[in-house]
Amino acid sequence: MHWCRNSLFVCCWMTGSLVSVQVNAESALKQTSALAVYYSQGEYGQDQDTRIRYMPISHEIAANNWRFKVSAPLLEVSGPGNVLVNVGSVGGISDTKVSERGAGDTILTLTYELPAWSANSPFIDISAELKLPTADETRGLGTGKVDGGIQVDLYQQIGGATAFGTVAWKYRQSSDLFRQLKNSLAVSLGLSGQLNDSVQLGVIYDYRQPVSQFTGETHEVLPYVSWSVDARWSLMFYAVKGFTEDSADMALGSQVSLRW
């Protein structure tokens, strides 16, 4: 999740990552606190479902063209133990059943907003992400390794709508429990528009390369609605529909944000 300077923010959950859309006024220093709730369910090629409940609390500080965000979640996973938040299915067949809850991995994100070179040029953001292994890998809540990523976001006004896209590369270290993990590329495309002064509707398509030698690519569609309650408070709701074996069958999420 992040703020976009052109009055639209799109924050996208890719196999475990979350998204929101907001209006933001320019100022020297901006701070945003957010609480999100996410639930997903799917078989991921197994005989039993994996259910994930994920509740990240985040805070972002923005100054000039820079933004820094930290996100620390609570997490609950129930299933065979081969599906990881912010990664997805790592593959393999498991006959065991795990049900664990605890702290998830902490995510640090630094974003630079490139200055626009003309009035009609697209907005471009470049982000670097660092994952700190605060989740317990022995309980299936994380990999236990430091991971990272680089992401480029592009936004373009087209009449009364906004088209946007994301290209992200994720670096993942293999661990004693998840040796099959590998780096992957993800791409998102979306379109949004204002229903009225305070409500925005949009849809996002996500594609991701396989994250391990035992999994395939994922394809998901995410429709969302964002409501700016007033100048400080906003709400966002979304759903996710997966179309491959390694995607969640369905997911629902919401987020409340406070700018101050």
Side-chain angles (χ1 to χ4, degrees), residues 82-93:
N82 59 351
V83 180
L84 299 173
V85 169
N86 293 328
V87 177
S89 172
V90 298
I93 301 298

Side-chain angles (χ1 to χ4, degrees), residues 3 12 18 53 72 86 122 144 226 246:
W3 291 103
C12 192
L18 196 62
R53 295 175 178 85
N86 293 328
S226 177
D246 294 293

Side-chain angles (χ1 to χ4, degrees), residues 84 137 142-145 173-181:
L84 299 173
E137 71 274 17
T143 65
K145 295 292 183 178
Q173 296 190 73
S174 61
S175 66
D176 293 339
L177 292 178
F178 303 104
R179 296 182 182 275
Q180 68 272 40
L181 288 175

